[in-house]
DNA sequence: CTTAATGTTCCCCA
DNA sequence: TTGGGGAACATTAA
């Protein structure tokens, strides 16, 4: 479900309901979503007041009056205001007004107290300057697809938006970053920003079951130009979209429009 | 039955 | 330190 635009949409939908609320109690039920001592974590958050909710990379950062909680949605995580509890509910926050429910069938998501890995995230794609991005990008010898997926290089892009941004920039997913000209790297920078901005405006991509904090679907999937379009004609040149595997992830691109 | 799915970490090896 | 490749985590849908 969740790359930067989806997480941003969840944060925006959930924040007004949570800011200023007091967590009366919490209940965590999964040894995967909440590794370690779940009872202790529940005690840690109980009684605390939520100062604000924001996004960092693909993490939802819930700042409390003391400390913070980081929620990562993994592949299938959902954070729902006044959501109904079901068979895949692994976290329930009872607030002084309403509840917050965490659902996650695959349990790849995490709810953690001040996790260190948030410090290892790279810059935000919508905040880094063009100069800094190009300098970082051109110093790497990795394939662009893998590099852009790397959260310590840039925080927030995932499989869908990397494929879409590379198509928009006309860059082949297997191109080597350091061998791409400054001009094309600059074009990639703009493509990333435009793709993410448009996706946020459309409230994210609901390709299977993604919904925001109020249960609303996004509709950026309508505008996908390569992701999930294997064999279908490129919107630009008509060549069938190709699918290969890079870093164990399905990778979609136009073999004619995207140069190495 | 097999494959793939919006993600991340860990391990091995160059 | 960088980077490629593979396995693992748990579940569902096609």
């Amino acid at each position: 479900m969740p790359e930067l635009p989806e997480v941003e949409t969840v944060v925006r939908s959930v924040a007004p309901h949570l800011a200023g609320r007091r967590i009366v109690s919490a209940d965590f039920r999964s040894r995967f979503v909440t590794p370690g001592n779940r009872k202790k974590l529940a005690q840690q958050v109980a009684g605390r007041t939520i100062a604000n909710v924001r996004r960092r990379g693909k993490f939802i950062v819930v700042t409390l009056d003391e400390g913070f909680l980081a929620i990562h949605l993994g592949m299938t995580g959902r954070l729902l205001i006044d959501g109904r509890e079901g068979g895949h509910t692994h976290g329930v926050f009872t607030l002084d007004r309403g509840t917050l429910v965490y659902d996650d069938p695959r349990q790849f998501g995490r709810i953690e107290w001040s996790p260190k890995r948030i410090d290892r995230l790279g810059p935000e794609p919508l905040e880094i300057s063009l100069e800094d991005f190009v300098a970082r990008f051109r110093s790497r010898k990795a394939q662009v697809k893998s590099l852009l997926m790397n959260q310590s290089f840039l925080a927030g892009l995932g499989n869908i938006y990397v494929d879409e941004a590379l198509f928009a920039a006309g860059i082949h997913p297997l191109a080597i970053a350091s061998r791409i000209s400054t001009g094309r790297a600059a074009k990639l920078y703009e493509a990333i920003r435009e793709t993410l901005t448009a996706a946020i405006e459309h409230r994210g991509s609901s390709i299977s079951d993604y919904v925001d904090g109020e249960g609303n679907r996004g509709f950026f999937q309508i505008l996908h130009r390569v992701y999930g379009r294997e064999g279908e004609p490129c919107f630009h040149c008509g060549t069938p979209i190709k699918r290969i595997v890079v870093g164990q992830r399905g990778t979609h691109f136009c073999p004619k429009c995207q140069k190495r």
Side-chain angles (χ1 to χ4, degrees), chain A residues 14 18 71 79-83 91-95 98-102:
Chain A
V14 128
L18 300 182
I71 301 172
L79 203 52
L80 297 162
I81 295 292
D82 297 329
V92 178
F93 297 84
T94 302
L95 310 172
T99 62
L100 180 65
V101 171
Y102 180 80

Side-chain angles (χ1 to χ4, degrees), chain A residues 216-250:
Chain A
N216 301 308
R217 293 170 62 82
F219 46 99
F220 189 70
Q221 66 280 4
I222 295 165
L223 298 177
H224 289 175
R225 287 170 290 179
V226 285
Y227 183 82
R229 296 194 64 245
E230 181 186 11
E232 293 174 48
C234 169
F235 288 130
H236 188 245
C237 74
T239 302
I241 297 303
K242 203 171 171 187
R243 179 184 179 280
I244 58 175
V245 174
V246 182
Q248 297 179 304
R249 310 304 299 275

Side-chain angles (χ1 to χ4, degrees), chain A residues 59-230:
Chain A
F59 288 85
I60 297 164
V61 178
V62 181
T63 308
L64 305 173
D65 47 6
E66 216 179 310
F68 72 92
L69 212 51
I71 301 172
H72 194 295
L73 302 173
M75 287 279 241
T76 54
R78 287 179 169 192
L79 203 52
L80 297 162
I81 295 292
D82 297 329
R84 225 180 39 207
E85 292 182 37
H88 298 300
T89 298
H90 307 299
V92 178
F93 297 84
T94 302
L95 310 172
D96 54 357
R97 194 191 312 153
T99 62
L100 180 65
V101 171
Y102 180 80
D103 275 13
D104 189 355
R106 289 176 73 178
Q107 302 180 68
F108 283 175
R110 298 288 181 266
I111 301 174
E112 300 168 291
W113 183 262
S114 310
K116 281 280 173 290
R117 58 187 182 139
I118 220 161
D119 300 333
R120 295 192 281 269
L121 291 174
E124 288 287 329
L126 296 177
E127 290 175 13
I128 189 173
S129 71
L130 169 64
E131 294 69 28
D132 289 350
F133 175 82
V134 171
R136 265 175 96 72
F137 186 76
R138 302 210 67 213
S139 70
R140 297 296 206 107
K141 292 190 170 75
Q143 297 172 335
V144 280
K145 166 82 181 197
S146 303
L147 184 60
L148 296 178
M149 293 281 287
N150 181 345
Q151 301 299 296
S152 57
F153 174 73
L154 204 59
L157 289 176
N159 207 34
I160 295 176
Y161 297 104
V162 167
D163 283 4
E164 292 298 319
L166 287 175
F167 174 80
I171 295 174
H172 193 289
L174 296 180
I176 301 301
S178 61
R179 289 168 53 181
I180 289 173
S181 71
T182 300
R184 296 181 74 212
K187 185 170 183 184
L188 174 60
Y189 171 82
E190 291 303 336
I192 290 169
R193 295 173 64 93
E194 284 167 17
T195 301
L196 294 176
T197 303
I200 291 169
E201 280 170 9
H202 290 81
R203 307 180 60 87
S205 301
S206 287
I207 62 161
S208 62
D209 57 1
Y210 159 74
V211 290
D212 71 10
E214 290 171 323
N216 301 308
R217 293 170 62 82
F219 46 99
F220 189 70
Q221 66 280 4
I222 295 165
L223 298 177
H224 289 175
R225 287 170 290 179
V226 285
Y227 183 82
R229 296 194 64 245
E230 181 186 11

